Amino acid sequence: MDTDGDGYPDDVDAFPNDPTEWADSDGDGHGDNSDAFPNDPTKWLPEQGVTPVAAPHNSTTVIVEGSSGADRIWNVNPDNHLRHGHERRGRRGGGGPGRRPAVVAREGAARERGVRREQGLGLDLGDQHADARGGAHESRCRPRRSRTGSSSPPAGDVFYVALEGLARVDKRLPSTGALQSSAAVSGRPRHLAVSNDGSTLYVSNFITPPLPNENDLVNVWGGGGQLFVVATGAMTLSSTIGFGTSTHAPTEVSGPGIPNYLNAPVLFGSTAYVPSKQDNIQAGSYRAFPA
């Protein structure tokens, strides 16, 4: 007898009533045809084979947290001044943390925070478990006109805030927001990332400093984008990594120019990836460089 008509008799069919399945090699109750891991009884869904990615330790508008038992995504949107929380089945809640929220980060396993910018005056803290609407529970002051990047090291014992308006990076306590120490940099520090051991902070200078003779026949070799390296123990600037001009010929996927509007560094092993735009400041007939 072949009840489901799949060509496999019921006495050898592990799923006699399902014409799409007939074998279960690992005995996990999921047929081999739909089992992404037919020889592993501990998993059967494709996502169960994805290696978990560590929480980001850089400025970001999106974070994922799983401490509630289900994956939840938090994001901030500076265009509509809102913060949202989403679970796999749909939106969980949201709130308005203030004017133009810039980044969102998680403090340990129990809290998340949205950071305001522009004319806002605070770090807004919200409890991701207790507040179904995602509203702010607490605000802490910061200077005006300081567009802000924020990040925490893996240990979560401190957090760092880049204050663009003051050209400064603060180290603060998550519990009270109290200032521990600061590092003076230059330009417009907006985004940052913390090394995995928490000993080093990488801070991007959002706007590349003017190059020599930039308003005339510019010297593109006289400067470039900047990534500040800060030692977190003493909060001192230890070095500056420069990003020079690109001399690639203009194509659909590359071209000449200077990095500008540097975003948050993304650390991966011994490499840091720094997204940016690229300004071809040599273009134009006067400067005799291809557009």
Side-chain angles (χ1 to χ4, degrees):
M1 179 180 291
D2 181 8
T3 303
D4 55 17
D6 59 4
Y8 292 85
D10 290 357
D11 59 346
V12 297
D13 192 335
F15 303 91
N17 297 306
D18 183 349
T20 68
E21 297 285 359
W22 47 86
D24 183 10
S25 299
D26 54 16
D28 60 3
H30 298 270
D32 289 358
N33 292 334
S34 60
D35 192 335
F37 304 92
N39 297 307
D40 185 344
T42 66
K43 51 191 176 183
W44 48 90
L45 299 174
E47 55 264 37
Q48 291 173 321
V50 177
T51 302
V53 177
H57 301 296
N58 55 269
S59 308
T60 179
T61 58
V62 180
I63 61 171
V64 179
E65 59 91 11
S67 57
S68 64
D71 289 345
R72 183 177 301 152
I73 299 172
W74 292 96
N75 72 285
V76 290
N77 187 338
D79 295 324
N80 61 10
H81 317 299
L82 292 177
R83 175 182 55 212
H84 298 297
H86 302 266
E87 290 181 345
R88 183 173 297 178
R89 295 180 179 178
R91 179 173 164 181
R92 176 179 183 268
R99 179 174 169 80
R100 296 184 65 80
V103 299
V104 63
R106 187 176 67 211
E107 294 181 3
R111 296 175 70 87
E112 60 87 20
R113 70 173 177 268
V115 182
R116 298 198 311 214
R117 70 175 188 178
E118 299 291 351
Q119 299 303 316
L121 284 175
L123 294 172
D124 288 340
L125 304 186
D127 188 319
Q128 64 193 15
H129 298 291
D131 189 349
R133 294 171 298 176
H137 282 214
E138 182 181 349
S139 292
R140 295 176 187 149
C141 288
R142 66 174 175 82
R144 282 186 180 273
R145 298 174 58 202
S146 292
R147 300 190 179 189
T148 308
S150 178
S151 185
S152 298
D157 52 343
V158 295
F159 70 91
Y160 301 95
V161 182
L163 301 177
E164 181 178 338
L166 300 179
R168 190 182 84 194
V169 180
D170 286 354
K171 178 197 292 186
R172 294 179 177 268
L173 290 179
S175 57
T176 63
L179 178 65
Q180 298 299 288
S181 55
S182 297
V185 289
S186 61
R188 296 192 174 187
R190 183 177 297 186
H191 294 288
L192 43 81
V194 190
S195 64
N196 194 53
D197 62 4
S199 66
T200 307
L201 194 63
Y202 299 88
V203 186
S204 57
N205 187 3
F206 183 64
I207 297 180
T208 295
L211 300 178
N213 207 31
E214 187 167 312
N215 293 325
D216 194 26
L217 296 177
V218 60
N219 175 15
V220 296
W221 307 107
Q226 296 175 320
L227 184 67
F228 304 121
V229 182
V230 175
T232 59
M235 287 298 286
T236 55
L237 179 64
S238 58
S239 63
T240 299
I241 299 173
F243 299 96
T245 187
S246 165
T247 57
H248 291 292
T251 70
E252 293 182 354
V253 296
S254 67
I258 288 287
N260 196 13
Y261 292 1
L262 273 62
N263 212 298
V266 178
L267 307 182
F268 188 79
S270 60
T271 303
Y273 297 91
V274 184
S276 75
K277 64 175 289 193
Q278 184 168 281
D279 291 337
N280 186 7
I281 60 176
Q282 290 182 298
S285 57
Y286 176 72
R287 290 175 172 168
F289 203 81

